[in-house]
Amino acid sequence: MIKEIIVVEGRDDVTAVKRALDAELITTGGFGFPKGVMERIKSAQERCGVIIFTDPDFAGEKIRKKIAAEVPGCKHAFLPREEAKKDGDIGIENATPESIIAALNKVRTESVQKREEFTQVDLIRNGLIGNEDASVRRDELGKILGIGYGNAKQFLNRLNNYGVSREEFNKSLESL
C-alpha cells in the first residue's frame, strides 16, 4: 500500500487505481472541485502526503497546476498518453494496472526552491527543441524520467523542479 493519498479526477480513475493497488484516493470531480475538496487535499498533504495523478491531457494538467499551486510539496505521477488511450478517450481509467503501477513507481516530488540545473541550451543540444522530432524525443524522455510529456517550456520546468539530476538526464538520453 502507498502511504500517500493519490489525487485523481473521477470515480472511474479511482476504480482503475484500486485495480492496480491498495491506496487511499481523493477525487477532484474534474476541474470544478466541489466544495471542500481542496481542503481535503491540503489536510491529506499535512497528514501523510499527496500524489497528484491526473489524466495526461490539457484538463489534467490544469488540475495538476491548480493543486500544486495551493498545496506545496506534492508528489507527481505521470501516465504516458498512449497508455491512457482507449477509443479516442484519454484518462487514467483506461490504463492497465501495470501502467498505473509503473507510473506510481516513478513518482517525483516537486521542489519548493527554484532550481536551474537545466537550460534551453540543454534542450537544443539534445534535440529536445528546434528540430522535427523534438516533440517525440521529449515524450520518450519524459516517460523514462517519469515527468510526463510537455511542450519545451513545461519540459524544462519539470526537469528543474522534479529533481532530475544531470547524471539521470544524460543516462536517460542514451537510451533514446
Side-chain angles (χ1 to χ4, degrees), residues 110-150:
E110 189 169 12
S111 174
V112 178
Q113 297 166 290
K114 286 295 175 206
R115 179 177 160 241
E116 292 193 27
E117 171 78 19
F118 301 95
T119 66
Q120 275 197 327
V121 173
D122 292 302
L123 300 185
I124 293 167
R125 281 187 185 146
N126 293 289
L128 299 169
I129 56 174
N131 65 32
E132 282 181 19
D133 66 340
S135 175
V136 172
R137 287 179 61 80
R138 282 193 312 274
D139 188 30
E140 289 302 313
L141 188 59
K143 286 179 208 166
I144 295 166
L145 294 170
I147 61 172
Y149 173 78

Side-chain angles (χ1 to χ4, degrees), residues 9 21 30 36 52-53 80 85 88 90 104 107 121 130 149 155 159 161:
E9 293 178 48
L21 52 99
I52 303 171
F53 192 38
K85 278 187 181 178
I90 295 179
L104 290 167
V107 74
V121 173
Y149 173 78
F155 198 78
L159 285 171
N161 294 328

Side-chain angles (χ1 to χ4, degrees), residues 11-74:
R11 289 187 323 243
D12 292 338
D13 298 332
V14 169
T15 302
V17 172
K18 287 203 175 270
R19 271 196 311 260
L21 52 99
D22 185 19
E24 188 177 340
L25 292 101
I26 295 174
T27 60
T28 66
F31 191 71
F33 283 57
K35 186 177 175 155
V37 169
M38 191 61 79
E39 287 70 29
R40 285 183 60 215
I41 295 170
K42 287 176 183 175
S43 174
Q45 175 66 353
E46 290 172 13
R47 200 171 67 251
C48 56
V50 164
I51 298 172
I52 303 171
F53 192 38
T54 55
D55 295 347
D57 59 9
F58 180 77
E61 272 309 302
K62 281 190 79 157
I63 292 167
R64 181 183 298 279
K65 285 179 184 174
K66 181 177 179 178
I67 296 168
E70 289 197 42
V71 186
C74 289

